[in-house]
Amino acid sequence: QVQLVESGGGSVQSGGSLRLSCEASGDDFTCMAWFRQAPGKSREGVAAIDSDGSTAYSNSVKGRFTVSQGSTKNTVYLQMNNLKPDDTAMYYCAAGSLPCTMVSGQYPYWGQGTQVTVSP
C-alpha cells in the first residue's frame, strides 16, 4: 500500500524559512512533486524532482524554494526561504512516474498535506 507522509509545516513570519519533508513508501517513484492549495484557490504545482535529480519550479517560488532528494529517492524535501504571506497554503507531496510535470492529474498518490502559514 502506497503511503506519503509530509511533515515540517508551521507558522512563520514573512522572510522566514521552513523545511518540508515527504517520505513515500509502498513503491518506487520516478517523480515526486510538491503542490499547494490556498483557501478558495485551485491546487498549484510548486516544485518537482525526478529520479535523476532534475528539478523544476513554478515561477512564483523560483529562487526561494529548493526541492531535493534524501538518502533514498522516496524521500524529498522542500526548503522554503524568504517566505511571503502569499505562500500561505496547505502543502501536499505527490508521487508518480516520468515525465515530471507540475500537473496534479499526473500524480496518482498524495499525502495528507501540511499547513504553512506566513504572517506579515
Side-chain angles (χ1 to χ4, degrees):
Q1 181 179 356
V2 173
Q3 189 174 17
L4 278 68
V5 179
E6 303 106 329
S7 60
S11 297
V12 296
Q13 291 188 323
S14 183
S17 298
L18 284 172
R19 188 193 196 205
L20 305 183
S21 301
C22 173
E23 185 166 351
S25 59
D27 202 348
D28 291 326
F29 302 101
T30 51
C31 188
M32 295 184 73
W34 289 96
F35 289 78
R36 66 186 181 187
Q37 188 166 17
K41 296 187 177 181
S42 58
R43 191 165 294 189
E44 171 192 21
V46 174
I49 186 167
D50 69 19
S51 51
D52 290 331
S54 296
T55 59
Y57 299 92
S58 67
N59 288 335
S60 60
V61 306
K62 197 173 294 183
R64 300 187 298 123
F65 291 12
T66 302
V67 61
S68 61
Q69 293 173 330
S71 56
T72 67
K73 292 181 179 178
N74 277 4
T75 300
V76 293
Y77 303 103
L78 185 67
Q79 177 67 43
M80 306 185 294
N81 297 329
N82 191 22
L83 282 160
K84 305 175 181 180
D86 284 348
D87 295 318
T88 295
M90 185 71 79
Y91 283 70
Y92 297 91
C93 177
S97 301
L98 290 170
C100 276
T101 71
M102 283 185 282
V103 176
S104 60
Q106 176 196 339
Y107 296 89
Y109 303 107
W110 292 81
Q112 80 287 353
T114 185
Q115 179 68 38
V116 171
T117 303
V118 185
S119 57

